[in-house]
Amino acid sequence: MMKKSIFATSFSDWLPNILPIAVTLAILPLCATLARAQEPNRPPAGRPAPQIMLNPEDIQIFADPKTTIDANRPDVPHGKLELVEYDSKTVGTRRKMMVYTPPGYSKNKKFPVLYLLHGIGGDENEWGRFANPNWMLDNLIAAGKATPMIIVMPNGRAQKNDRAEGNVFASAPAFAMFEQDLLKDVIPAIESRYSVSKSREDRAIAGLSMGGGQSLNFGLQHLDTFAWIGGFSSAPNTKAPEELVPDPNAAQEKIKLLYLSCGNKDGLIGISQKMHAFLKEKEISHIWNVDSYGHDGTHWKNNLYYFTQRIFMKTTPLKSVFQGKFLIGGTLSIAALDGKNPAELNLAQTHFSALTPENSMKPDAIQPSEGNFTFERADRLVEIAQKNGATAIGHCLVWHSQTPRWFFQGANGQPVTREVALERMRKHISTVVGRYKGKIKQWDVVNEAINDGPGVLRDSPWRRAIGDDYIAEAFRAAHAADPKAILIYNDYNIELGYKRPKAIELLKSLIAQKVPINAVGIQGHWRMDNPDLTEVETAIKEFGALGLKVMITELDMGVLPSRYQGADISTIERMTPEQVSVMNPYTKGLPETVAEQQAERYRQAFDIFLRHKEVIGRVTLWGVRDSDSWLNNFPVRGRTEHALLFDRSGAPKPAFFSIQKAAASAK
Ligand code: FER
């Protein structure tokens, strides 16, 4: 089959001059090419050149996949691609569609269906010119990355002569008319001939260009029929967002996936940008993937590849997978608690059986000045946890960082006495823990008290003000305020050889003094190459042997290098392009190979947690989606880190599925 790009360049160079003739003459069978043969900034036929204006959020979230994603592989089971005819009452003719049935298709199972629509110059065969959707799905299904599904590629030009002939733009009304043909003829024909599920959650609609506009128009206006919707470089036939989504709340409820994509060299990008801006304003979750292509087949093939991996997913909530093993938790950001990040909140509510406030209960957030407590966000977290049957976690009471200076200073600015500091610490703890008595079940009481350098204890302002016993005193105060709460000592790197002996020494001394401590928290800000997970297992065993529970309190698995060799640069903006490419290599999506290595590393970590589930009380991820992770600003600001279980679009990553597998195969 002729590949688009070969045509596009030479053809579109002379296209504008001879357009009227061209449209009616030699190119007639190739009109599909016409609209999309534009080079960057070349107008669609008969329209003025659109200026491409890119906004900061017009970024690529899914890395360009390999070109072989739709290769015909002899080593995987193949489905079937067949031409099917149906009688259309709408058009009054017998019409054609291509239908893919997956390997393993059988009458004994009900399959979901993707209706996949073509562009203005195409027909039921057009998708086959840009991609091999059948082989792509064979490959994805074999890899366990897509649900076995039927793909229906109908002819979206609902008129008697439905070939792409003549002035293809003149058939635009027939593309609108196809709504009736699809709903009244195509879908019934498919549902009577194939073994398919007839629920909306098992129907998806997507398309390219004119077919993208159709998919948005038909999908959004028939949410009782379709739950998964995709528009790839949608054309000007796309109706106004206000018309397609008159009731944003109802839409948000019903849409399982709304996927918009466009190339940043596509003159039609304004249409998708407008839709994205509307959805963003109305807080409707959606994917917006802007890659570097134009109005072309590579864009459509790549985005079909990502779309099909995200539809018909029936993911089991993590909290049910880990039920009876240990709590599986996540954090809620300030934005999520303020109702400004519904995607993060929804995922957290669905998947986590424990919820920690990422920042809202840190000392500077909850008592910014003496006696001035701000509980609104913490209250909200507790309420959300209760509503969802999740365990609320308190983080954190006593810490050297994000703690206001007033705790340690008198009115004269001089350091306060031990008595005053102790009194302020006790007041803070009794007020905060007391307020949530019986509601917040676990507390990070003291955070990061162990020194990285020589000696056991960090030279923290609390220690300077009170003395070494500030740790014991903090635990005693927390226990007095809520005797049933699980009290945790939380720190980073205490699983590693350089810090573990110090942690053991501190914990042993607290236990010997009968300090009310129940658990030790290993933060778990890990990376692909660090730590050696055997150290983690040793730490779990050694801490468990002290009679303490072990919590993994802040888990993430960074894939970026930790520091730039020989440079101390705090923000990406100050780096040279060479430094950026080393320090921030995955700005256009996480390559699949890296995502899979990360999944393997998460699986290894969870295999250890599961082996020691008698000791592990909880594993909490420090964030929900990659986009919301603190690591995007640590240790270098402005990076694109990919450390969590959900990607920037909110879709589960390979790591999500690998830890599910680990849980399922654990005893
Ligand atoms: C237009 C430009 C492009 C238009 C449709 C298209 C209806 C469709 C392009 C395609 O399907 O490739 O102005 O108006």
Side-chain angles (χ1 to χ4, degrees), residues 31-38 43-47 118-122 126 169 172 175 208-212 233-238 268 271 295 300:
C31 270
T33 316
L34 185 142
R36 67 186 58 89
Q38 321 302 333
R47 308 225 171 191
H118 59 79
I120 197 159
E126 191 188 47
F169 288 90
F175 279 83
L208 69 92
S209 197
M210 201 70 175
S233 25
S234 300
N237 62 325
T238 309
L268 297 184
I271 293 152
H295 202 68
W300 298 322

Side-chain angles (χ1 to χ4, degrees), residues 292-352:
S292 310
Y293 293 96
H295 202 68
D296 62 51
T298 310
H299 178 81
W300 298 322
K301 167 172 152 171
N302 291 355
N303 282 279
L304 178 66
Y305 180 70
Y306 284 114
F307 181 75
T308 51
Q309 292 181 64
R310 282 165 178 76
I311 55 177
F312 310 132
M313 261 184 333
K314 295 192 171 69
T315 52
T316 318
L318 289 174
K319 60 186 175 192
S320 40
V321 175
F322 284 93
Q323 183 148 35
K325 301 199 159 62
F326 40 70
L327 293 175
I328 183 89
T331 54
L332 287 177
S333 66
I334 286 173
L337 289 168
D338 287 351
K340 295 195 175 124
N341 192 338
E344 182 190 321
L345 179 61
N346 280 339
L347 284 170
Q349 294 189 110
T350 302
H351 289 287
F352 296 127

Side-chain angles (χ1 to χ4, degrees), residues 164-183:
E165 296 170 350
N167 175 5
V168 291
F169 288 90
S171 296
F175 279 83
M177 183 55 84
F178 181 66
E179 180 171 358
Q180 295 310 310
D181 190 58
L182 176 66
L183 296 171

